[in-house]
Amino acid sequence: MIQSVDATAEHLQAARGITGSPDLVLLPESIAHVEGPIGQTSVGARFADPARRLGTNLVVGTTEAEGRDRFRNASILWGPEGNLLGRYEKHHRVPFGEYLPMRDPVEPLSDLTRLVPRDAIAGHGPAVLQPRSTPPLGIVISYETFFPDRVAAAVHAGGQLVLAPTSASSFTGRDVPAIEVAASRLRAGEFGRTVLLAAPTGYSAVIRPDGTVADLSGLGTRELLTATVPLRTGLTPYARTGDTPVLVLALLVLMASVGVHAIRRRAV
């Protein structure tokens, strides 16, 4: 939604425009950068304030440096009392964006280490956040939207909607943000869940469980999207089986094609 040198201050300012008593406020990926766990910093206290003022659950994307060469990409959940309730750390890291594959042999030979000075630590644990007095929230971060297995993990862990905080600020055009919206629409339809996409430079979106876009921000504009969205339980056929039926069908078609070709060769 916002592009700024100080993304933390800009998003906190935007949060001041929120009124009423929302159940959830979702802010984008990587809008706060801190050394060490955010709960032990003054930045964390700044995000606790709007959660407490609104009496809401607030999810904020952070990067937390760990030593000189590693960091964590996490979404942190603050509860209505301004207390930390949980966190999700990104599992699928972006190669050459969030980590450098085979860093040790590549480092002496390439300038890539200047572009990727630190490696993200791969997250572990369930892809859900559990607010107080609110159903479980599935969550994926940015690039993970392209992986059905990550959304499947969120849904199977009980997520009744899917949060998708992202940061496409490295891309100045509309292509990558538009692809993220398209991927989020696929995931919504596949798993029958609302997907909430929040980005600092756009697009942010509210996507219904059937994959339709209920609301979409502009690109690079400050906007606050508000919506009442359905919560869903249960599993769609795709959530139960994944890609297995399609892969089996493709294998059968391939085997049939090979068989027909072999029969024709023998006939000749």
Side-chain angles (χ1 to χ4, degrees), residues 144-248:
E144 293 185 316
T145 310
F146 295 99
F147 296 88
D149 66 302
R150 292 311 307 151
V151 179
V155 169
H156 283 279
Q160 296 188 22
L161 59 76
V162 176
L163 311 179
T166 185
S167 175
S169 56
S170 298
F171 304 94
T172 56
R174 64 182 64 243
D175 292 345
V176 171
I179 291 171
E180 284 194 314
V181 172
S184 298
R185 294 183 64 189
L186 281 174
R187 303 292 87 84
E190 287 168 346
F191 294 95
R193 295 295 192 272
T194 297
V195 176
L196 303 180
L197 184 66
T201 56
Y203 299 105
S204 296
V206 177
I207 301 171
R208 297 192 182 280
D210 63 358
T212 60
V213 179
D215 203 356
L216 183 70
S217 75
L219 192 66
T221 59
R222 175 184 287 184
E223 295 184 49
L224 178 64
L225 304 186
T226 60
T228 299
V229 299
L231 299 175
R232 294 282 178 87
T233 58
L235 300 176
T236 63
Y238 182 82
R240 293 180 184 277
T241 64
D243 293 326
T244 299
V246 175
L247 293 175
V248 170

Side-chain angles (χ1 to χ4, degrees), residues 31-155:
I31 62 167
H33 307 278
V34 295
E35 297 288 333
I38 194 168
Q40 301 173 14
T41 68
S42 60
V43 175
R46 294 171 69 187
F47 284 111
D49 287 341
R52 192 181 301 111
R53 175 179 66 84
L54 294 167
T56 191
N57 296 290
L58 175 69
V59 178
V60 180
T62 71
T63 55
E64 302 170 335
E66 187 163 310
R68 297 181 58 185
D69 55 3
R70 301 199 302 169
F71 71 96
R72 299 181 185 275
N73 184 346
S75 285
I76 312 296
L77 171 64
W78 276 269
E81 297 175 356
N83 52 328
L84 287 174
L85 294 182
R87 62 188 288 132
Y88 169 75
E89 295 183 8
K90 191 173 185 180
H91 289 220
H92 275 304
R93 303 165 297 164
V94 180
F96 303 102
E98 292 176 311
Y99 77 102
L100 187 60
M102 299 185 295
R103 177 178 290 275
D104 289 342
V106 168
E107 200 162 23
L109 307 173
S110 173
D111 289 337
L112 285 172
T113 53
R114 291 190 301 172
L115 300 175
V116 191
R118 292 178 170 179
D119 286 342
I121 299 169
H124 300 281
V128 292
L129 296 171
Q130 180 60 73
R132 187 165 298 166
S133 303
T134 302
L137 307 172
I139 182 167
V140 294
I141 297 178
S142 186
Y143 171 74
E144 293 185 316
T145 310
F146 295 99
F147 296 88
D149 66 302
R150 292 311 307 151
V151 179
V155 169

Side-chain angles (χ1 to χ4, degrees), residues 247-261:
L247 293 175
V248 170
L249 179 61
L251 180 60
L252 291 174
V253 170
L254 178 61
M255 292 172 62
S257 176
V258 171
V260 169
H261 181 66

